[in-house]
Structures are given as structure tokens and as C-alpha cells.
Amino acid sequence: MIPKDIKILHIDSNNPLLMNQLQEAGFTNHEDFKSSKEEIEAKIQDYHGIVIRSRFKIDKNFLNKAPNLQFIARVGAGLESIDCDYAATKNIRLIAAPEGNRNAVAEHSLGMLLSLFNKLNQADQEIRSGHWNREKNRGHELDGKTVGIIGYGNMGKSFAKKLRGFDAEVLCYDILENVGDANARQVSLQELQEKADVLSLHIPWTPETDKLVNAAFINAFAKPFWLINTSRGKNVVTADLVEALKSGKILGAGLDVLEYEKLSFETLFEEDKVPDAFQYLLESDKVILSPHIAGWTFESHEKLAQTIVDKIKQLYFGETPEVKEQKRVTGIGGFFFKSEDPKALRDWYRKHLGLDTNDYGCTFRWKNEKGEDCSTQWSPFKSDTNYFSPSEKQFMQNFRVEKLQELLAKLKEEGVQVIGEMESYDYGNFGWILDLEGNKIELWEPMDETVL
Ligand SMILES: NC(=O)c1ccc[n+]([C@@H]2O[C@H](COP(=O)([O-])OP(=O)(O)OC[C@H]3O[C@@H](n4cnc5c(N)ncnc54)[C@H](O)[C@@H]3O)[C@@H](O)[C@H]2O)c1
Ligand SMILES: O=C(O)[C@H](O)COP(=O)(O)O
């Protein structure tokens, strides 16, 4: 099929770049932000793709009326409004864009947490009404606390990354195995409930996570804790949360999502009556609320749209032209050399060149072009070290790289001599090769993907 013959229906408004770039790529695009679900169902047979946020549910009935549909693109992360299993039976590809709003969600979660800890919402209100209460608004510090993340996918990982600068222990619990990383240690739910001072939810809304945070779940925590929910409102039983706020088992809650939201997330209530539990939240100074905007930033508006464009293009054209060949070396990771007396040498460099040395040498900290923290290590090694072997040389270089495992495989294919197996530590993955003249090179993939 040529792109012009691929007809895409857009039923929610998005950043204009989405439509513009799909037009430029040659797809035929139609907008219909107003028609009812029934009206859309009446014409969906003409389309190969649909781009939606959350206007209505894409259920079996809808899919049965869409015999030509090849993809559903959701300009967001959660897919609970789509019958994904049924779509799969019809070979319809699902495209979502969590890459587009995960940073926003992480920053929002952190913002809520710090606001709760420092009572910012409360203190602000008091000053505006003429009260200057210092003791009443004494805050808490994240330093030394344990943060438990449930759901360690795009959002959970992004939040954990933001916590790196705090001296907090970060734990994660997920139904998938081996998802923990350098930013969060994966533990059982029981361990998380034993240790956490803060719980942040980053799970999808599924039959298993519906009402997950209920009275029994809350009471299984060993300590009183703070709750952040940016996942879905129905993952928490609000009435049980309120009881826990009253008893002090939950110390405070930051809620971006509410049990009472409608599927489209655009409105809160259809009924006029405010539920009692919600009324409590409205009046509680231990609660911060936001209207489902954790992933709703100016930047995410653009990134979500761009992610969808890239994934649609990828679906039809394979690799998009913008996807560049994987970078190999991204910077100098370190310079290591042999020394007769490493300590004396380190002291010499400290005295004469001002290097801020420690037992390992000196760590130079810098920021890459995205403003992210990076480091380069300078280290003298004892002259009898075998860390540089099989090279007999006096030095070893260390380069920062991307996707080390793939790179090592490619280097092997290219006939480069790889020494040993890749090793993983908290601060990254390491591999070793020899260059043409037998110099040993250490390749370092720092653990945090965005540091690269
Ligand atoms: N508030 C917002 O603006 C906003 C924005 C984006 C996403 N979200 C919500 O965040 C959710 C997560 O998004 P994501 O992109 O990180 O999804 P994801 O699929 O990348 O990660 C979710 C993780 O939760 C795990 N999980 C599923 N069921 C679980 C359970 N019962 N117990 C423990 N772990 C479980 C999965 O294995 C997965 O690792 C979305 O589904 C959406 O509901 C909200
Ligand atoms: O799942 C998501 O990405 C967020 O909850 C945002 O959804 P929305 O774009 O439909 O508001």
C-alpha cells in the first residue's frame, strides 16, 4: 500500500505536529473530533488507522465494525480504554506513547511528594489568609526515607530516575521479574510494605489492580506512609484512603487521578452529588489534588505526538529516516594508568594540579548537551595490576558507550577481540576489547540510559 491509500482517522485533538508530519509522510488524514461513537462506528470501515486519546472505549463492537483497521494509536500511555486482546485477534497493531509523558509524570510525582513533605500547599494557603505559621508547617525530608514504587515500567522507572539525587532507598515491586535496575531494587510486595515510607503507584488499571489500595493493603504496611497516585483513580479505594488518613496510617496523599473520573478523564462527575470520601479529600490539608495532569505538560504534548508519528512511520516504512545508526562511543569515561606509587602520585596531582582526589583517583563531573550529569574517572593503578591484561601497556582507556551488549555483539562480528564477558554493576555495564595494537579499552555503559 502506498501511504496515500492509508487512511487515518483522528478523533481527538493533539499537537498539530502529529497531523502535519503524517500529511508530509503522505498518509491521508481525516479529523473528526465531534461525531458520536455511533457516528464514528458508521464510517470506521473506511479507515486503516485511528488516532485517539481517551474520547471513548474501543470495544469489541467498535472493532467488529472496523474490518480494515491496521492500527490504533493512543496518544498517551494507558491502554485500558482499548480491548487490546480482541484487537490482537484481529491483527490490529496497538501504538501507545509512554515515552512522551513519562518524564512529565515523574516530575509531577516528585513535585507532589515534595509539596506534601514540605506542606507547601497548606503553608501557601495560610499566608494568603494572613497566617504565618512556622512550627505548624515544619516539613519532612526525603533523605533517609524508603520510597516504594509499584509498577516498574515507563512511569515507575522515570520516577525512580528522578529520585537518584536524593539519599533515599528506592524499592520497586512488579509482577514481571527482573525489572529492577540501578535506580530501584526489586523486592516482594511484602518487603515493600515492610520498609516503605512513601508509596508511588505506576501501574495500569487492570482487573488485578482495580481497588488494589484498599484497607487490607494499606494496613499491611508496617509504617505510616505517604501515598502518591498518578496511575489510575480506580486503583485506590477512596473511602479506605480516607479512613487511613483519619487514623494516621496514611500521612498524606498526592492524587493526580481520582476514582470518580470518567473514562475520558475530561470530567470528574456526571452526578451532582459529591461522594463523602471525596468531600473529605477536598477539605483535608494532608491531600494535594491535581486534575489528571501528571503527564500533561507543554513538552509532553509535543513528545506524545512525535512518538506517535515515529511509531506509525516505523510501522509502514520500517526504520524512520530520523533514526540514526546507534552511536558507539559517546565520551571519555576514564583514563587509567600504572604507577609505582599511586598514593604519592595522587597526592602530587592534588598538590600541583588541584585534582580532587580520593582513594580511587579523581572523578570529573560534567553535563552532556542535554544537561544530564555525567562523569569521567582518572585513576592511577598499582604497577602490578592485572586489570589491564592481557595488554602489557602502561595505560587503559575507558570510553562511555550506548547499548553495550549490542555494541559488543557488533564488535565481535567485526572481528574485534573482546576480552571476557560483560559485567554489570550499580553504576553501569562494562566490557573490554583490544585495539589493533593490543591496547586494552574498557567500554562503559552508564546505567542511566539518559546519561548517554
Ligand atoms: N496521570 C497521568 O497523566 C498518567 C500519564 C501516563 C500514564 N499514566 C498511568 O500510568 C500507568 C503506567 O504507565 P507505564 O507506561 O509505566 O506502563 P508500563 O506498562 O510501562 O508499566 C506498568 C508496569 O506495571 C506492572 N504491573 C502491571 N500489573 C501489576 C500489578 N498487579 N502489580 C504490580 N505491577 C504491575 C507491569 O508489569 C509494568 O511493568 C498507565 O497505564 C496509566 O494508567 C498516568
Ligand atoms: O494514560 C495516559 O497517558 C494519561 O493518563 C493521559 O491520558 P489522556 O491523554 O487521555 O488524558
Side-chain angles (χ1 to χ4, degrees):
M1 258 174 130
I2 56 168
K4 184 170 74 54
D5 295 335
I6 298 165
K7 289 174 71 183
I8 305 176
L9 182 62
H10 299 248
I11 64 163
D12 277 311
S13 68
N14 282 298
N15 188 294
L17 77 80
L18 197 154
M19 182 70 90
N20 294 343
Q21 291 191 21
L22 290 177
Q23 289 287 114
E24 277 165 27
F27 295 100
T28 299
N29 293 279
H30 295 159
E31 271 181 11
D32 186 345
F33 303 157
K34 293 264 158 59
S35 294
S36 66
K37 183 176 178 186
E38 292 68 33
E39 287 164 334
I40 303 277
E41 278 174 353
K43 62 179 180 180
I44 194 65
Q45 82 251 10
D46 296 340
Y47 290 94
H48 304 101
I50 183 165
V51 177
I52 181 170
R53 282 210 342 264
S54 311
R55 194 145 77 85
F56 52 69
K57 207 166 163 48
I58 303 222
D59 50 21
K60 279 199 183 71
N61 189 40
F62 184 94
L63 292 169
N64 284 337
K65 299 196 166 148
N68 295 312
L69 209 57
Q70 295 170 350
F71 73 85
I72 302 165
R74 166 139 210 272
V75 192
L79 289 174
E80 74 275 13
S81 60
I82 300 167
D83 189 334
C84 300
D85 293 339
Y86 194 61
T89 66
K90 295 189 159 286
N91 256 342
I92 298 171
R93 295 286 295 270
L94 292 176
I95 296 173
E99 300 86 347
N101 59 10
R102 62 188 174 193
N103 185 66
V105 168
E107 290 191 17
H108 195 93
S109 308
L110 184 59
M112 281 189 141
L113 185 56
L114 295 180
S115 300
L116 280 176
F117 270 34
N118 294 288
K119 303 194 172 87
L120 293 182
N121 56 331
Q122 207 172 309
D124 175 78
Q125 290 288 340
E126 286 174 10
I127 295 176
R128 286 168 201 276
S129 49
H131 303 287
W132 188 261
N133 295 326
R134 295 183 72 205
E135 191 51 43
K136 181 167 174 271
N137 288 311
R138 195 182 279 278
H140 295 269
E141 295 180 25
L142 196 43
D143 193 330
K145 303 273 187 309
T146 299
V147 180
I149 295 176
I150 298 194
Y152 205 58
N154 286 284
M155 307 299 145
K157 287 197 172 100
S158 185
F159 179 49
K161 202 173 95 191
K162 299 292 170 215
L163 294 171
R164 281 164 58 118
F166 296 88
D167 287 320
E169 181 175 20
V170 184
L171 306 177
C172 64
Y173 167 70
D174 199 290
I175 44 169
L176 299 179
E177 285 177 10
N178 299 322
V179 294
D181 59 17
N183 299 331
R185 183 165 66 83
Q186 188 164 8
V187 294
S188 64
L189 180 57
Q190 193 189 357
E191 183 174 347
L192 187 144
Q193 288 175 314
E194 263 162 32
K195 297 190 172 154
D197 300 292
V198 174
L199 168 64
S200 192
L201 296 179
H202 298 283
I203 34 179
W205 183 48
T206 64
E208 291 73 38
T209 63
D210 183 53
K211 301 185 173 57
L212 176 77
V213 180
N214 57 23
F217 180 94
I218 293 168
N219 291 327
F221 277 72
K223 297 182 264 180
F225 63 99
W226 284 268
L227 171 71
I228 304 293
N229 188 12
T230 59
S231 60
R232 286 291 181 258
K234 289 182 173 47
N235 293 331
V236 174
V237 179
T238 315
D240 293 358
L241 162 65
V242 165
E243 287 312 310
L245 284 164
K246 285 182 185 165
S247 73
K249 182 75 192 198
I250 292 189
L251 298 164
L255 307 173
D256 179 55
V257 287
L258 288 170
E259 186 182 340
Y260 319 105
E261 277 175 80
K262 296 299 152 203
L263 180 76
S264 73
F265 312 135
E266 297 295 342
T267 51
L268 192 54
F269 298 116
E270 269 154 14
E271 308 80 26
D272 289 339
K273 176 151 172 27
V274 175
D276 291 346
F278 184 50
Q279 189 60 39
Y280 179 90
L281 298 183
L282 292 177
E283 289 166 18
S284 170
D285 58 13
K286 294 184 197 165
V287 174
I288 296 184
L289 302 170
S290 58
H292 204 138
I293 49 160
W296 194 264
T297 60
F298 289 100
E299 290 82 358
S300 73
H301 197 223
E302 209 174 298
K303 283 188 277 182
L304 284 162
Q306 189 63 57
T307 305
I308 294 295
V309 171
D310 292 347
K311 289 188 178 178
I312 294 175
K313 282 187 181 172
Q314 173 129 34
L315 184 65
Y316 287 100
F317 311 137
E319 289 281 88
T320 54
E322 297 82 46
V323 177
K324 297 184 199 92
E325 166 86 352
Q326 181 201 329
K327 267 197 199 164
R328 295 191 175 199
V329 169
T330 58
I332 302 219
F335 181 68
F336 307 133
F337 58 99
K338 292 181 186 172
S339 146
E340 291 305 318
D341 185 344
K343 181 175 179 327
L345 204 62
R346 287 195 303 267
D347 291 346
W348 188 94
Y349 275 83
R350 175 178 274 275
K351 181 173 176 194
H352 297 291
L353 293 180
L355 263 57
D356 186 13
T357 50
N358 56 26
D359 288 351
Y360 302 104
C362 173
T363 306
F364 294 93
R365 302 195 183 280
W366 46 279
K367 291 200 184 278
N368 66 11
E369 66 279 3
K370 292 186 207 149
E372 294 155 343
D373 293 326
C374 302
S375 67
T376 297
Q377 182 67 24
W378 170 93
S379 296
F381 277 66
K382 280 197 178 148
S383 44
D384 60 357
T385 182
N386 56 14
Y387 197 49
F388 303 176
S389 66
S391 161
E392 295 290 321
K393 303 284 175 66
Q394 291 299 308
F395 63 88
M396 182 175 77
Q397 310 167 72
N398 170 307
F399 288 121
R400 301 166 65 87
V401 300
E402 288 183 349
K403 299 188 187 143
L404 180 59
Q405 202 155 20
E406 286 171 32
L407 179 57
L408 287 171
K410 276 187 206 155
L411 291 170
K412 264 188 195 159
E413 266 172 40
E414 291 166 12
V416 173
Q417 190 176 349
V418 175
I419 311 292
E421 296 298 320
M422 190 178 94
E423 292 179 20
S424 297
Y425 299 91
D426 280 357
Y427 37 94
N429 298 324
F430 292 83
W432 296 269
I433 58 170
L434 291 184
D435 74 10
L436 203 57
E437 298 187 3
N439 298 309
K440 190 170 176 187
I441 299 170
E442 184 170 64
L443 300 174
W444 172 35
E445 176 191 9
M447 206 42 119
D448 181 352
E449 70 199 36
T450 62
V451 165
L452 296 163

